[in-house]
Amino acid sequence: MEDAAWRAAQRRRVWRGRLLPVAGAGALLFLWWAVVAYFHVRPFIAPAPEVVAITLYQKFGMLMDNLAPTAIESIGGFVIGNLLGIGIATVFVHCRTAEQAFFPVAVFINSIPIVAKAPILVLMLGNGLAPKIAISAVICFFPTLVNMARGLEAVSPQAVELMHVLSASRWEVFWKLRLPTSLPFLFSALKVATSTAVVGAIVGEWIGSQEGIGALIIQATYNFDSALLYAVVLCGSAFSVAFFMAVRLLERLVIRWEAASGH
Amino acid sequence: MTGGLALDCRDVTVRFMSERRAVTALEGVSLALEPGDFVTLLGPSGCGKSTLLRVIADIIAPTAGAVRVFGEAPSVARQRREIGFVFQDASLLPWRNVLDNVRLPLEVGGRRGAVPVSPEALLEMVGLAGWEKNYPHELSGGMRQRVAIARALLGGPRILLMDEPFGALDEITRDRLNEELLRIWRETGTTIVFVTHSIYEAAFLARKVLVLAPRPGRVRELVTVDLPEPRGLAVRETPEFVRLAAHLRRVLEGL
């Protein structure tokens, strides 16, 4: 009996956790609508929520046509930038000389703001998908390099001694010990990289592009089409969130051993 | 000649640099063990007992002196898998289940022949039959150390080095594991070198207790334990045990 009561209470807690965020978002939407309606805010300054919804519905095809290149650029940049980060971190861990020689260079390149790096890459790579992918890759690269290098070094000294007693080769220590140890570090970098990759692609499109979320943002702003601007931003963030959730799902599938510690 | 000895350490000295200061971890330590011996290294922190274990396991090279493990250099013994090592923190790989942790020695360090006792049988020996598919985070500290012991025993090492393996456990668990370690020692006949800073653990387990003094780590006395075997925990209530413990305490304090 007590057990049933406890379970009912547990169920109520779960539903509270689900419903409250929905209620909060609903309340803010209502507030937005009320402010626009009450103060007669003009449409080119901020649109009413229902106008944004109608725009989303009517221009859905056009929005998706523009989301596609941005998605390709950010996923491409994500893959390339992170693979480079992982690869170079692996080299750094095995070769101190390389780390000492090139890490400061990586820090320097990372310290250049992305809006300054973007035109340089556009000049180098032209106007197609390539410069956007490159910008997105550059922005993903550094956090992954730092986190991955830290993860590969995060092995316990006793585990290293154990591998030595077992006469394991450097390669075996890498595959059996360092790489699995680094995975939680890698995934926290990857999760951050999902949103930065999208930012990189959009910034790339601002510099010079006829299509994509970034190009559409610029067009909508210049035309004072606030409803379209809001709809585009919503599409971009929906993609960012979906990208993040996909990487988080992958993390949960790969890293099962830290379920208890809730990393 | 070192023929016949399981372990022969002669005048082992280890110095290393620490913050621009030379530290002598061990100073002229000698120790000879017969095959099947059980010795505990007893001393306060800083007496170099863990360092000595690492010299025997070829993790640290001695600055001076010679070490022979069954007549060979430690590096040779290590490559032949004659050395098993149990660390204080169990050092299990969290992404591997219990069975795969015990099997780790089969997957690294080159191809090896068949092992004398299967991983499953070793898990049964340490009392973990039925836990093969569990992950380390699902086990208690004592169970993790049992897994670490099974892993160290895989391949039938001739010498087992244990670095305060039960130091982080509660006293009740530690007592039970002490008894079980004695049973495993009898069943396998392996030579054991066991580091501890507990007088009772040192006296209960060993045939010989090597008492070490700190800074620099050096031998105070090698005490022979004349308690009857096989031992149960009740032996700790006998007058002989109490006398031995009192003697060890005096030696530790340099009286």
Side-chain angles (χ1 to χ4, degrees):
Chain A
M1 280 298 108
E2 258 177 35
D3 199 39
W6 183 82
R7 247 179 292 166
Q10 187 75 17
R11 251 199 311 278
R12 270 199 301 280
R13 262 196 298 277
V14 168
W15 275 107
R16 251 178 89 87
R18 283 177 195 162
L19 288 177
L20 278 180
V22 176
L28 284 176
L29 267 177
F30 176 77
L31 187 68
W32 173 12
W33 172 82
V35 167
V36 171
Y38 183 80
F39 293 104
H40 302 290
V41 177
R42 277 167 298 176
F44 64 85
I45 294 179
E50 73 272 16
V51 181
V52 176
I54 292 166
T55 309
L56 260 181
Y57 177 75
Q58 285 176 344
K59 299 191 173 163
F60 190 72
M62 187 270 283
L63 287 168
M64 286 303 115
D65 286 346
N66 281 282
L67 180 58
T70 308
I72 293 169
E73 289 152 14
S74 38
I75 294 173
F78 178 85
V79 170
I80 294 171
N82 285 309
L83 282 180
L84 274 176
I86 294 166
I88 293 177
T90 307
V91 172
F92 279 3
V93 166
H94 287 97
C95 177
R96 286 269 162 262
T97 318
E99 180 174 1
Q100 283 167 353
F102 293 113
F103 192 73
V105 181
V107 173
F108 174 71
I109 292 174
N110 183 58
S111 70
I112 306 172
I114 191 68
V115 286
K117 270 183 280 198
I120 295 173
L121 288 166
V122 170
L123 279 185
M124 269 196 271
L125 297 168
N127 242 336
L129 287 183
K132 286 91 180 178
I133 292 177
I135 293 162
S136 181
V138 165
I139 206 173
C140 289
F141 165 75
F142 191 75
T144 300
L145 169 68
V146 172
N147 257 339
M148 188 69 187
R150 212 157 55 100
L152 290 172
E153 293 290 359
V155 291
S156 89
Q158 296 195 352
V160 174
E161 288 180 349
L162 169 73
M163 286 303 203
H164 177 77
V165 171
L166 294 174
S167 309
S169 65
R170 273 167 83 95
W171 191 239
E172 285 166 342
V173 173
F174 180 77
W175 278 112
K176 306 271 178 187
L177 182 62
R178 289 192 187 277
L179 193 61
T181 305
S182 73
L183 286 180
F185 293 80
L186 174 62
F187 269 103
S188 42
L190 291 185
K191 282 189 288 188
V192 174
T194 54
S195 54
T196 54
V198 179
V199 169
I202 289 175
V203 169
E205 286 164 355
W206 282 354
I207 309 289
S209 184
Q210 301 308 310
E211 52 169 16
I213 294 292
L216 219 48
I217 287 175
I218 298 283
Q219 283 170 31
T221 311
Y222 286 163
N223 296 334
F224 293 103
D225 189 348
S226 68
L228 178 63
L229 177 61
Y230 278 48
V232 173
V233 169
L234 274 179
C235 282
S237 8
F239 173 70
S240 257
V241 170
F243 198 178
F244 177 85
M245 295 303 250
V247 172
R248 199 170 71 154
L249 181 70
L250 186 66
E251 177 186 33
R252 290 203 177 159
L253 290 175
V254 172
I255 303 174
R256 290 163 169 277
W257 60 90
E258 289 203 331
S261 64
H263 196 83
Chain B
M1 279 302 291
T2 55
L5 284 179
L7 176 66
D8 191 7
C9 301
R10 286 195 194 166
D11 285 323
V12 172
T13 297
V14 174
R15 284 192 200 92
F16 51 85
M17 293 300 285
S18 158
E19 288 164 18
R20 286 179 291 165
R21 197 165 63 88
V23 174
T24 304
L26 284 174
E27 179 83 70
V29 172
S30 297
L31 173 68
L33 293 182
E34 301 289 329
D37 251 351
F38 196 139
V39 68
T40 44
L41 309 183
L42 176 65
S45 358
C47 73
K49 45 197 195 304
S50 292
T51 305
L52 181 57
L53 219 55
R54 278 163 174 74
V55 168
I56 299 168
D58 187 41
I59 295 170
I60 298 174
T63 314
V67 177
R68 282 279 176 273
V69 180
F70 287 97
E72 303 153 340
S75 60
V76 177
R78 167 173 66 79
Q79 271 152 24
R80 289 191 188 164
R81 287 283 169 85
E82 292 183 346
I83 298 170
F85 206 112
V86 180
F87 296 89
Q88 179 170 9
D89 74 349
S91 293
L92 303 182
L93 305 183
W95 50 88
R96 287 172 166 251
N97 65 28
V98 166
L99 185 63
D100 287 339
N101 262 293
V102 177
R103 292 174 45 84
L104 176 72
L106 299 175
E107 297 173 23
V108 298
R111 287 241 165 267
R112 315 251 159 204
V115 284
V117 185
S118 73
E120 290 84 355
L122 282 169
L123 279 172
E124 195 171 341
M125 181 192 266
V126 298
L128 283 180
W131 290 87
E132 291 83 355
K133 298 287 170 212
N134 286 87
Y135 282 82
H137 72 260
E138 300 168 317
L139 307 184
S140 68
M143 290 161 90
R144 278 183 227 154
Q145 279 304 355
R146 290 167 191 263
V147 179
I149 291 170
R151 178 180 63 194
L153 288 173
L154 190 75
R158 296 170 82 186
I159 186 163
L160 187 59
L161 308 174
M162 307 182 83
D163 188 14
E164 291 186 45
F166 309 142
L169 304 179
D170 64 86
E171 200 180 340
I172 299 164
T173 310
R174 173 191 277 223
D175 281 350
R176 196 162 60 226
L177 281 171
N178 276 341
E179 266 192 313
E180 291 199 32
L181 180 60
L182 283 182
R183 173 180 59 77
I184 290 165
W185 173 55
R186 284 193 301 272
E187 285 175 21
T188 58
T190 185
T191 312
I192 297 183
V193 184
F194 186 106
V195 165
T196 180
H197 49 231
S198 156
I199 291 175
Y200 298 102
E201 195 171 55
F204 175 68
L205 290 171
R207 280 187 180 160
K208 293 169 187 161
V209 181
L210 187 72
V211 184
L212 295 162
R215 282 173 287 274
R218 61 202 186 278
V219 176
R220 278 218 201 276
E221 193 178 320
L222 181 66
V223 179
T224 306
V225 178
D226 275 327
L227 296 171
E229 293 178 27
R231 290 173 205 160
L233 287 174
V235 78
R236 299 189 306 189
E237 289 149 28
T238 62
E240 292 79 9
F241 186 90
V242 174
R243 260 201 304 280
L244 174 67
H247 175 66
L248 287 174
R249 186 177 300 280
R250 276 193 301 275
V251 174
L252 259 180
E253 287 166 7
L255 300 174

